[in-house]
Amino acid sequence: GENVEQHPSTLSVQEGDSAVIKCTYSDSASNYFPWYKQELGKRPQLIIDIRSNVGEKKDQRIAVTLNKTAKHFSLHITETQPEDSAVYFCAAEDSSYKLIFGSGTRLLVRP
Amino acid sequence: GAVVSQHPSRVICKSGTSVKIECRSLDFQATTMFWYRQFPKQSLMLMATSNEGSKATYEQGVEKDKFLINHASLTLSTLTVTSAHPEDSSFYICSATRVAEAFFGQGTRLTVV
């Protein structure tokens, strides 16, 4: 089955700097890669996603890149703000719509 | 976006009792729903796939007799934690997929004392 690895587990950046979180997946049949932001005790919120027919997608300060050959995808947050502080999860979805999550990255943006 | 509602949001139960958690898709029909468990400071781990009108499929290591799943209608799946023990204390969260996007319930914080 699918296995998703995520790095780093914690990330501390200065406000205004960029943050990059990386994930790798194992199942080449996976074709949908969402990123979620989760605040303590709340449901994951989709922040951006990418499908396997696209290499990059951007939404304001957030971008995601996908390298299908290498089976890795990354989240890029530019001009970070304190409210970006949260736990971020990557995920890979297989053909049966199962989402397999990465281990999470705790992002701290220092004012 | 689509709405998935989960109830209750919090529950405290005594060890040995059973707890039922409901997951409803409010504005769409979901033939498939998913149940996840999340321990503190850990990731969401897929427990099982709930299939409307048929048996749920469980991930490896998840006891089907302990975590009973019923998906009796296109808008409702229930997860029953039977004979709960303190180690079952966790955050349980469901999701349903609509137009290839997953929508999550609010989650249920289960505490077994």
Side-chain angles (χ1 to χ4, degrees), chain A residues 25-79:
Chain A
Y25 62 99
S26 61
D27 188 351
S28 57
S30 293
N31 53 21
Y32 174 61
F33 307 93
W35 285 87
Y36 295 92
K37 178 182 181 182
Q38 188 181 30
E39 298 180 355
L40 189 63
K42 297 192 176 180
R43 74 184 94 190
Q45 295 285 347
L46 179 70
I47 56 171
I48 197 166
D49 56 12
I50 192 167
R51 297 194 180 273
S52 58
N53 58 345
V54 175
E56 184 174 358
K57 184 177 178 180
K58 189 173 182 180
D59 182 4
Q60 299 182 349
R61 297 187 296 111
I62 297 172
V64 56
T65 59
L66 171 65
N67 183 326
K68 280 214 71 181
T69 303
K71 289 190 278 191
H72 65 69
F73 55 113
S74 300
L75 176 71
H76 304 251
I77 306 174
T78 58
E79 301 172 33

Side-chain angles (χ1 to χ4, degrees), chain B residues 33-103:
Chain B
M33 292 185 178
F34 300 94
W35 288 96
Y36 297 86
R37 179 168 55 184
Q38 186 176 32
F39 291 109
K41 297 187 178 181
Q42 293 189 24
S43 186
L44 288 82
M45 299 301 296
L46 180 64
M47 298 175 66
T49 304
S50 172
N51 304 298
E52 188 269 334
S54 65
K55 291 183 179 180
T57 53
Y58 291 80
E59 296 300 303
Q60 192 172 9
V62 178
E63 299 175 60
K64 61 181 172 66
D65 294 331
K66 180 167 184 64
F67 298 100
L68 300 179
I69 292 173
N70 185 286
H71 195 151
S73 78
L74 288 170
T75 59
L76 174 64
S77 174
T78 60
L79 168 69
T80 301
V81 183
T82 63
S83 187
H85 291 285
E87 56 265 31
D88 298 323
S89 298
S90 188
F91 188 60
Y92 293 85
I93 191 163
C94 66
S95 76
T97 300
R98 179 172 179 263
V99 195
E101 182 179 339
F103 294 90

